[in-house]
Amino acid sequence: MKKKTIKTLLTSTLIIITALLTSCAHSPSKAKDNKADGDITIYFARHGKTLFNTYDLVQGWADSPLTDQGIELAHYLGEGLKDIQFDAYYTSDAGRQRETMQELLKQKGVKDYKIRELKELREVFFGGFEGGPNKKMVRASMKLAGYNSVDAFYKNYQAGNLTIDVMINSTAKADPKHQAESYQQVKARTQDALKTIIQNAQHNHEKTILAISSGMSMQAMIYDLTDNKDKNKPLSNATVVKITYKNGQYNVSEIGNMTYVNKGKSALNK
């Protein structure tokens, strides 16, 4: 009886120890899962004004540096975002986006940082129109988009009546080199970039992200993520698109928000 009692006690003790070890082994992963399910907020901003923007030239994968006004805008945006602590920073490999981020972070007072580059955050590739006058590209594509004049085209785009999928696809069809990207191509790669940012954030326990991209690529990225009609309106230099991710769902809460720039401008021009 005594041996049996000892054996029973040993068995019970082993069961308890195993249960405790199993509980400890599962606790970290559960905490990690809960962390991953929390809100992740991404502030996407368009780069500052560039030389090509000033000359009204097509600027997709072609690149040009920020102008003095573009640097100033980046400083305004950095000042306007000063109260927000970011855990990670992203741009594409385009110089204008990197320069915007660097100037923004300089103004924000951030010194120890790493910029992660994702080629998928590039602007739309406009093929044979790259580097040429914007009006030439518009004239070549506007009829395919259903417009008979440049003024009508721009007026409807500004009003949000010209959807980004139609705009990108009509430009691709009009490209004399037949190399320009379609809407589906742009949407696929920019949403891949968005997923990469989310996955990295979950893995690294990052909650708030800042990314610098370009106007039309940002529009393509959010086009099927929101019903807000502002998604069709052109995005000004340094404007913000804010996206929150939680439990597999995206919420686009801000589109074309210039509040951060205006806040920074007011603070710096006191």
Side-chain angles (χ1 to χ4, degrees), residues 11-12 52 70 83 122 139 144 146 152 160 192 195 197 214-215 248 264 269:
T11 302
S12 299
F52 275 23
D83 296 334
R122 287 179 180 180
R139 288 193 186 98
L144 293 170
D192 279 347
K195 290 174 185 175
I197 292 171
S214 293
N269 292 335

Side-chain angles (χ1 to χ4, degrees), residues 122-133:
R122 287 179 180 180
E123 178 58 295
V124 177
F125 178 52
F126 296 109
F129 295 116
E130 290 280 350

